[in-house]
Amino acid sequence: MFRKLWKTIKFIIIVVIVLICFPRSILPHKTSDQNQDDIENYLKLNEKETRLIEFKDDEESLKLKLIQLSIINDSRKKYKAGPVKLDILASRLANKMSREAAENDYIGHWDLAGEKPYHRYAFAGGYDHVSENTFGEWSSSKYVVSAANISALMRSANNSFMSERAPNDGHKANTIEKSHNYIGIGFCLTGKQFRYYEEFIDRYLEFDKIPKEVRVDEPFSITVKTNGLSFLYYMIIYRDKFPSAMTPAQIKRRGSYADFGDEDYQKIPAWDLSRYRNGTIYILPLKFNKEGLYYIQIFTDKKDMTGQSSLNTQGKTSQSGIVIKVNR
């Protein structure tokens, strides 16, 4: 009797040890209720978004992106950067770029229209600041298009970014930048080409009444709403010439892109911006005297500076990516 009981006890002890020591990844598990809630929430957001509808993700693609989102956030956590959320519009924009780059055999931050990432995001309807990562692979034979293969290639992209070393570590620095709070993820696997784009977003302000296009010397205004915890600190306006079409070969020859325009057009300091504040809302009057694309970057601070002082945007994050087209 005692021997039988002792054998039973020993068996239970062994099972407990195995369960504790065995790698969790190979034990059966189910998706948590929270993860399922996240999927359902993103599916609803995906259905609600009407912009760039031709680049909308299906349910399987969206789930693959949420897996990749978890991988990206794990990388950010190692560098004490908070998690980012998936942005639907930015993901569709990333899908668009991925498809164009794959179908035309190039990797780069310019598209065939000659537009930079902040142009594309603004033209799609975004007003926040955007920072882009891009990755590509190709094969001598056709890729097998499967969820497992796409997921593995996206993971490979993240591994490539995170293995970068200074001073050539722009993709890694972008991935772990603490100010980012949203991301768009896009991919395209077709034929012998795989392309992958990330659009990191800094979203802290709300914008209203932003015109897409105005005429030279036409007065207009933009409305900026803060969260009540910050004040507008500096607004820098750049002017770009209208972009011209580029070939894949031209795009390939270019490396990283500058997050500013061809010309410094105007700088408006905190004390001038404060004149247009009512509570947490700023209504900012503007007027441009040349044709072109005007790129507006806005910086904030915890202090409301109504008197003249020295200003420095070093270490601060632009919280806008507004682009306005100006024609005669």
Side-chain angles (χ1 to χ4, degrees):
M1 180 71 179
F2 177 75
R3 286 182 179 178
K4 289 183 179 180
L5 181 60
W6 176 238
K7 286 182 180 180
T8 303
I9 293 171
K10 283 200 297 183
F11 176 76
I12 293 172
I13 291 172
I14 291 170
V15 170
V16 170
I17 292 173
V18 168
L19 288 174
I20 292 174
C21 298
F22 226 57
R24 292 187 179 183
S25 61
I26 61 175
L27 291 174
H29 63 280
K30 63 178 182 178
T31 304
S32 69
D33 291 340
Q34 182 60 52
N35 287 345
Q36 187 59 40
D37 288 344
D38 287 344
I39 292 170
E40 294 299 328
N41 180 54
Y42 281 117
L43 285 171
K44 289 177 182 178
L45 291 174
N46 196 36
E47 290 301 317
K48 186 177 180 181
E49 179 58 72
T50 58
R51 293 167 292 184
L52 294 183
I53 196 71
E54 64 271 35
F55 300 100
K56 178 182 177 182
D57 287 307
D58 59 23
E59 184 172 343
E60 181 179 61
S61 294
L62 196 59
K63 288 180 178 178
L64 289 177
K65 291 184 179 185
L66 291 178
I67 293 171
Q68 182 72 358
L69 179 69
S70 178
I71 292 169
I72 292 167
N73 281 331
D74 284 344
S75 295
R76 288 175 59 81
K77 186 176 181 180
K78 291 176 183 177
Y79 290 86
K80 295 181 171 52
V84 291
K85 297 178 181 179
L86 190 68
D87 184 79
I88 299 300
L89 176 62
S91 292
R92 291 183 185 177
L93 181 64
N95 285 343
K96 180 181 179 182
M97 270 305 297
S98 297
R99 185 187 301 179
E100 180 181 287
E103 291 177 348
N104 292 277
D105 187 21
Y106 74 81
I107 303 172
H109 294 290
W110 282 260
D111 61 15
L112 294 176
E115 297 167 354
K116 289 183 184 180
Y118 60 79
H119 293 139
R120 295 191 293 270
Y121 183 58
F123 295 157
Y127 299 127
D128 311 296
H129 186 255
V130 61
S131 304
E132 184 176 84
N133 280 348
T134 179
F135 173 86
E137 283 191 7
W138 49 92
S139 173
S140 57
S141 57
K142 286 189 176 182
Y143 282 105
V144 174
V145 179
S146 67
N149 207 13
I150 291 169
S151 189
L153 287 165
M154 288 198 292
R155 183 188 290 268
S156 177
N158 185 74
N159 290 341
S160 174
F161 297 156
M162 297 310 297
S163 65
E164 291 178 345
R165 295 291 180 266
N168 301 311
D169 61 342
H171 297 100
K172 179 180 179 180
N174 193 23
T175 300
I176 63 176
E177 168 58 50
K178 294 182 179 179
S179 64
H180 299 331
N181 50 10
Y182 286 86
I183 186 176
I185 298 173
F187 64 82
C188 181
L189 182 61
T190 179
K192 301 178 181 180
Q193 303 289 332
F194 172 73
R195 295 295 183 273
Y196 173 81
Y197 277 74
E198 293 176 342
E199 313 294 342
F200 283 98
I201 305 295
D202 303 308
R203 179 172 296 151
Y204 296 94
L205 301 172
E206 291 183 41
F207 303 94
D208 194 15
K209 298 180 180 178
I210 310 294
K212 292 183 178 180
E213 186 174 340
V214 297
R215 295 193 175 278
V216 170
D217 291 327
E218 176 187 349
F220 68 97
S221 65
I222 62 174
T223 300
V224 183
K225 302 176 183 179
T226 69
N227 55 11
L229 301 176
S230 65
F231 301 88
L232 301 196
Y233 177 79
Y234 211 18
M235 183 161 76
I236 302 176
I237 304 175
Y238 300 100
R239 175 180 170 272
D240 281 316
K241 297 175 183 177
F242 292 124
S244 55
M246 298 176 66
T247 66
Q250 288 174 318
I251 297 172
K252 287 179 181 179
R253 288 196 292 268
R254 297 199 178 190
S256 59
Y257 67 98
D259 189 32
F260 51 83
D262 301 322
E263 170 192 340
D264 287 2
Y265 180 80
Q266 188 176 8
K267 296 179 180 179
I268 306 176
W271 48 88
D272 285 337
L273 294 169
S274 67
R275 294 163 49 197
Y276 304 106
R277 180 172 70 86
N278 183 8
T280 61
I281 299 175
Y282 293 76
I283 300 177
L284 306 173
L286 294 171
K287 183 171 66 172
F288 301 132
N289 62 11
K290 298 179 184 178
E291 288 182 307
L293 298 178
Y294 287 80
Y295 176 38
I296 302 173
Q297 291 192 355
I298 297 174
F299 300 84
T300 66
D301 194 86
K302 292 181 180 179
K303 296 180 181 179
D304 183 18
M305 300 178 64
T306 56
Q308 294 189 20
S309 180
S310 60
L311 299 178
N312 188 352
T313 59
Q314 186 174 359
K316 287 184 174 293
T317 300
S318 174
Q319 297 182 10
S320 72
I322 298 168
V323 176
I324 298 173
K325 185 177 182 180
V326 179
N327 286 314
R328 290 202 175 277

